[in-house]
Amino acid sequence: MFSVTACKDFSNKVLGKGELKDTLTEKLVVKEKIPHLLNRWDSLQKNQIQFTVDSLHPVPIKQQKRELKDSLRKAFDTYPKHIYLTFDDGPLIGSAFIDSIAKEKNIKVSVFLIGKHANMSKGRKRDLARYESNPLIACYNHSYTHANNQYSRFYNNPQNAFADFEKNEKDLNLKHKIVRLPGRNIWIYDDVRKIDLKNGSSTADLLHKNGYTIYGWDVEWRLNSITGAPIQSQESTLSHIRNYMNNKSSMVPNNVVFLMHDDMFQTQKGQQELSSLIDALKKDGYQFEFMQDYPIKY
Ligand SMILES: [Zn+2]
């Protein structure tokens, strides 16, 4: 049992009056907070809710389901919506811009890093140092070699793949055990396990068994890295994100994980695209979050 009185010897000078008790209470409350909406939503998705047809007011089950889904959607809409800007494969040319735009727009940004890229040149080392010293940027693990872009071969040897992530964690001194697999959209966290390509699942399971959380993405945006020209237009990417938020079709309702790559932002054109996209997301009222806080449940 936890006892608040055990802490009474700490002086208020160190902790601030009532601060310790309040922080602990807050933590307990957050930990015990039950995500009622999400639980109900998940049960509906998994067909675990029993519907019955009342003979006096016969409403078809299909319609009852639709109505419940709509009412849950509306209930989710009364809560904040969270966007996770994630940038993969850095440090690369383009990383310096991501570092500066996070500050300029005052938004949280998540980067999934490749150790091999950090060791390529002084410039990339400098980019890494920028990321590390920016409190608005959280650094995570995307493997040391990025599978040398030979994904099947990489994942056919889960032990070696696992060692590659460990090397990256050590080399880059990463503080969070959060990874994204190169070339795979795989999620393993809490009681969720979603695999896109089976080859890759053994590596993901091995990582998870060793305390790592694996995150994929909901929406991806691509630009031509040489010209900065969008491969998917900004409007279509924005509407993709808005649809996910409004229809609750992302992995977790009200949370959208958005994937981009550092090298997309090496040209002025690409940089302007990102800047205006962030402005649009802000205008929509979305809150920018770190992946370590994913998912925010209601
Ligand atoms: Zn990658």
Side-chain angles (χ1 to χ4, degrees):
M1 255 312 269
F2 167 73
S3 160
V4 175
T5 52
C7 305
K8 69 184 175 191
D9 289 340
F10 287 108
S11 78
N12 283 342
K13 220 180 196 177
V14 179
L15 297 165
K17 204 166 185 282
E19 199 174 286
L20 178 69
K21 196 179 161 190
D22 289 350
T23 313
L24 287 171
T25 313
E26 212 171 274
K27 269 186 189 157
L28 287 174
V29 169
V30 168
K31 207 177 167 191
E32 283 170 11
K33 198 175 149 200
I34 299 161
H36 292 288
L37 269 183
L38 184 61
N39 287 350
R40 192 123 174 94
W41 178 265
D42 283 344
S43 303
L44 180 65
Q45 303 291 92
K46 290 175 191 161
N47 270 320
Q48 289 166 343
I49 297 179
Q50 292 271 347
F51 294 93
T52 48
V53 181
D54 188 324
S55 55
L56 283 176
H57 307 280
V59 180
I61 288 180
K62 226 176 166 180
Q63 189 184 333
Q64 290 185 50
K65 278 188 181 173
R66 202 172 44 236
E67 283 170 5
L68 176 60
K69 199 169 181 177
D70 282 346
S71 74
L72 288 173
R73 272 200 200 111
K74 279 184 191 128
F76 273 118
D77 276 337
T78 64
Y79 288 96
K81 299 191 175 83
H82 308 278
I83 182 102
Y84 303 74
L85 300 193
T86 68
F87 296 88
D88 282 11
D89 300 358
L92 287 171
I93 304 177
S95 302
F97 179 74
I98 294 164
D99 172 72
S100 63
I101 200 146
K103 290 179 191 156
E104 185 194 319
K105 309 279 186 193
N106 191 29
I107 52 163
K108 291 179 190 167
V109 159
S110 300
V111 295
F112 285 87
L113 300 172
I114 300 294
K116 193 178 164 188
H117 293 169
N119 288 325
M120 278 190 320
S121 69
K122 276 186 184 164
R124 297 299 78 76
K125 273 226 155 65
R126 232 178 354 251
D127 292 333
L128 174 67
R130 281 196 188 105
Y131 275 165
E132 287 169 340
S133 65
N134 186 344
L136 288 166
I137 294 197
C139 299
Y140 307 114
N141 197 339
H142 194 38
S143 82
Y144 184 79
T145 59
H146 204 271
N148 292 310
N149 296 327
Q150 295 184 299
Y151 304 118
S152 291
R153 189 196 284 182
F154 182 72
Y155 293 119
N156 281 341
N157 192 334
Q159 291 291 345
N160 281 3
F162 177 76
D164 198 62
F165 283 97
E166 276 197 313
K167 177 176 167 51
N168 202 42
E169 178 178 282
K170 232 172 146 189
D171 260 51
L172 299 178
N173 192 23
L174 298 172
K175 289 167 192 68
H176 301 280
K177 287 199 171 294
I178 293 175
V179 309
R180 177 175 282 152
L181 267 54
R184 298 286 181 272
N185 191 356
I186 289 180
W187 307 66
I188 307 183
Y189 68 93
D190 298 344
D191 59 347
V192 173
R193 183 174 181 277
K194 195 181 173 212
I195 308 289
D196 64 338
L197 293 168
K198 210 172 171 306
N199 161 278
S201 65
S202 308
T203 302
D205 288 332
L206 188 58
L207 284 161
H208 190 243
K209 216 173 79 189
N210 284 277
Y212 291 87
T213 301
I214 297 109
Y215 290 126
W217 63 91
D218 293 301
V219 178
E220 179 177 5
W221 191 31
R222 285 190 176 275
L223 305 182
N224 180 312
S225 55
I226 307 300
T227 63
I231 295 167
Q232 290 107 13
S233 73
Q234 194 181 121
E235 299 85 86
S236 77
T237 303
L238 269 169
S239 78
H240 202 165
I241 292 172
R242 286 173 186 144
N243 286 341
Y244 268 49
M245 289 288 192
N246 297 335
N247 300 333
K248 315 303 168 198
S249 40
S250 50
M251 187 68 116
V252 178
N254 283 27
N255 291 257
V256 171
V257 179
F258 182 39
L259 167 64
M260 293 162 280
H261 288 83
D262 284 39
D263 63 350
M264 285 163 50
F265 308 107
Q266 49 187 297
T267 63
Q268 216 174 18
K269 165 104 181 96
Q271 294 170 2
Q272 280 162 356
E273 287 281 343
L274 179 59
S275 176
S276 59
L277 183 103
I278 291 171
D279 290 342
L281 294 171
K282 278 187 153 184
K283 217 171 151 194
D284 282 352
Y286 300 149
Q287 296 183 4
F288 295 74
E289 313 287 356
F290 289 138
M291 281 312 295
Q292 70 217 48
D293 299 318
Y294 180 89
I296 295 169
K297 300 175 179 177
Y298 297 108

